[in-house]
Amino acid sequence: MKKFLFTLLFLLLLPAPAKAAYYDFEDYEINGIIYRVELTEYDKYGPTKANGASADLSNASGSVNIPSSITYTFEYEVYLGEDDEGYPIFDTRSRSLNCPVKGISNGYSEEMTSITLPSSIEQEDLNIRGPKLKTATIHGTYLPYGGEDDPYDMGSEVSVSGPELTSVTFSGTAYSFRAYGDKLTGAHISGSVKYASLGGAKLTSVSLPATLKTLGLSSQTLTSVSLPSSLLYVYLSGCTSLTSVSLPSSLQNVNLNSCTNLRSVDASNCSSLPSIDLSGLTALTSVSLPSSLQSLNFSNCPGLKSITIPEAVTNLSCSGTTRLMSLVWNARNCSSNSFMYTESIEQVSIGEEVEVLPYGFARGSKIKSVVVPNSVKTIGANAFYGCTDLESVTLGTGIKNIGDYMFHECHALSQISLPNSVTRIGNYAFNYCDGL
């Protein structure tokens, strides 16, 4: 009877027959980190395949290095038969399964000081943070579940932050990467990233990948940055230590807001850039612009003494730029009157393809001579009003109309040659021209 009971108990405790593949999860602890292991296939003794694992960093402390794979081990019993008295004999055995680490389920830790993640990670979003986190080195792939070009899911992001964070390195693949912290000094991206946002009051070193399309950067201590040629959009906000910037040829939009110590801007190769706003860059002394530029604002740039207005500009503003001395005007059809009251200008050169000179073009300036080329067809009223030092004017053969007040109060004007094309002289065009 006793033998029968033991045999019955053994049968009840036998593992179930092999199951079809399905998903099950087991939490497995290694060095204080909980890995949730995804088990997919079983036999009568237990799982035979582990598809992957995700790590929970909530209990991690100190320096953490997540491996690319872990070994999941479990024990099971095998029936070996019966002893001489008829009792069943069991042998305890173990099985180990290799399990790739594919995800981070929780990236927050109170005690973690550094983190290194492997290239085996594959997930949509990642948020690494903690009050003691100082350094982060991240590999892996972080893209929308529908793929990098999924039009319905473009929100995936890798984010690293913390009040003690000093250094971040990313060499994986991500749709978007973000790192910020008051003590962040270095942010280096060498993988494939389309969008990046980096911020830190002490950020001094930045490396950017050749795949980047959009960059947002804020730092009070960054003195230089090399922008990759792939960039379409650049937003530099509050980079008060940045003194010069060379913009890539692919650029379509740029914001240099509050970069108050920026002295040099080179946008000469930006053939796809429709507009640029340089207003308020009080330290700016040098700017190079593409001929295709359509809209230009360099208001309140008191350090700027010379500028060339590109051919395609149609919208222009420069109020408050009070020390401009030399102007090269190549804009073919700009009707802006923003040069009114620019009294510091001493030299004006007009390009051979210019067709229109706007209202108040050089009003009140200190120019002594001007040559208007044959290409100019229209000169706005008041164009040279109050140019009291103007002595000599040469008008091209394309001019038909001398506008109202065009040379009003040009006291030093002693000679002017009117072409045969002129059919009208406007009201007060030469009023108070005492030298004529």
Side-chain angles (χ1 to χ4, degrees):
M1 183 62 180
K2 185 181 294 185
K3 176 181 177 181
F4 170 77
L5 291 176
F6 272 108
T7 302
L8 179 62
L9 178 62
F10 163 71
L11 292 174
L12 291 174
L13 294 176
L14 273 177
K19 303 177 183 179
Y22 76 102
Y23 294 98
D24 195 8
F25 297 92
E26 293 286 342
D27 288 341
Y28 194 67
E29 182 177 349
I30 301 176
N31 298 327
I33 297 175
I34 302 298
Y35 294 88
R36 173 151 288 194
V37 180
E38 181 183 357
L39 305 170
T40 57
E41 295 181 10
Y42 290 79
D43 61 13
K44 65 180 180 179
Y45 299 114
T48 60
K49 182 179 180 180
N51 189 51
S54 60
D56 183 342
L57 304 181
S58 56
N59 293 324
S61 62
S63 180
V64 177
N65 190 342
I66 300 298
S68 60
S69 65
I70 61 171
T71 300
Y72 172 72
T73 302
F74 69 95
E75 293 183 346
Y76 61 94
E77 290 189 338
V78 176
Y79 174 68
L80 300 179
E82 298 178 349
D83 61 13
D84 294 340
E85 298 182 2
Y87 293 100
I89 301 173
F90 295 93
D91 182 33
T92 300
R93 298 180 181 179
S94 65
R95 176 181 292 171
S96 296
L97 303 177
N98 183 64
C99 179
V101 178
K102 294 184 176 181
I104 303 296
S105 61
N106 184 356
Y108 178 81
S109 170
E110 291 280 350
E111 301 297 328
M112 181 173 62
T113 58
S114 70
I115 179 71
T116 299
L117 298 183
S119 58
S120 59
I121 302 290
E122 296 180 0
Q123 63 185 61
E124 185 175 29
D125 294 295
L126 177 69
N127 189 355
I128 300 295
R129 65 201 191 283
K132 297 182 180 180
L133 182 65
K134 293 183 178 180
T135 63
T137 301
I138 299 174
H139 309 273
T141 301
Y142 308 87
L143 295 174
Y145 292 129
E148 186 173 2
D149 297 320
D150 182 359
Y152 302 104
D153 188 0
M154 289 299 187
S156 66
E157 180 182 74
V158 175
S159 177
V160 185
S161 62
E164 299 296 321
L165 186 66
T166 60
S167 176
V168 174
T169 300
F170 181 80
S171 61
T173 300
Y175 186 79
S176 175
F177 181 82
R178 182 168 174 251
Y180 58 97
D182 290 340
K183 297 183 178 180
L184 184 63
T185 59
H188 304 283
I189 309 173
S190 60
S192 177
V193 176
K194 282 190 173 182
Y195 300 86
S197 178
L198 308 173
K202 298 183 178 180
L203 191 61
T204 57
S205 178
V206 172
S207 301
L208 302 170
T211 57
L212 202 62
K213 301 298 183 184
T214 299
L215 172 65
L217 182 60
S218 177
S219 170
Q220 298 174 12
T221 53
L222 190 68
T223 58
S224 65
V225 60
S226 178
L227 301 176
S229 60
S230 57
L231 274 171
L232 301 178
Y233 308 97
V234 173
Y235 306 95
L236 304 180
S237 179
C239 295
T240 54
S241 295
L242 197 64
T243 58
S244 66
V245 63
S246 179
L247 301 177
S249 59
S250 57
L251 206 63
Q252 297 178 11
N253 189 284
V254 61
N255 188 328
L256 303 173
N257 181 40
S258 300
C259 297
T260 52
N261 284 311
L262 200 59
R263 296 181 177 87
S264 173
V265 175
D266 184 358
S268 57
N269 294 320
C270 300
S271 58
S272 299
L273 187 66
S275 65
I276 190 168
D277 186 353
L278 305 172
S279 61
L281 302 183
T282 55
L284 189 65
T285 59
S286 173
V287 58
S288 299
L289 302 170
S291 60
S292 56
L293 195 72
Q294 300 172 26
S295 180
L296 171 62
N297 184 351
F298 59 99
S299 298
N300 300 311
C301 296
L304 197 61
K305 294 184 178 181
S306 65
I307 192 167
T308 297
I309 308 301
E311 289 88 332
V313 168
T314 57
N315 184 27
L316 182 67
S317 179
C318 73
S319 59
T321 301
T322 57
R323 298 177 184 175
L324 194 66
M325 300 176 65
S326 176
L327 170 67
V328 177
W329 184 274
N330 291 328
R332 289 188 293 267
N333 291 287
C334 182
S335 59
S336 169
N337 64 349
S338 63
F339 276 96
M340 289 179 65
Y341 314 116
T342 306
E343 299 178 356
S344 59
I345 294 180
E346 296 180 357
Q347 294 182 338
V348 169
S349 176
I350 302 171
E352 293 296 330
E353 296 183 2
V354 174
E355 297 180 4
V356 176
L357 293 180
Y359 174 91
F361 169 66
R363 178 171 177 166
S365 67
K366 297 178 180 179
I367 60 173
K368 293 184 177 182
S369 65
V370 63
V371 176
V372 179
N374 295 336
S375 59
V376 175
K377 299 176 182 179
T378 302
I379 301 179
N382 295 276
F384 301 99
Y385 186 115
C387 294
T388 57
D389 295 328
L390 183 61
E391 298 174 352
S392 173
V393 176
T394 301
L395 296 177
T397 57
I399 299 296
K400 293 182 179 182
N401 179 39
I402 302 297
D404 296 345
Y405 297 93
M406 184 178 293
F407 298 101
H408 185 80
E409 295 186 2
C410 292
H411 302 301
L413 187 60
S414 59
Q415 64 175 13
I416 183 169
S417 177
L418 298 180
N420 294 332
S421 57
V422 173
T423 59
R424 178 183 179 273
I425 297 178
N427 295 326
Y428 309 105
F430 295 97
N431 204 29
Y432 299 110
C433 291
D434 305 329
L436 288 178

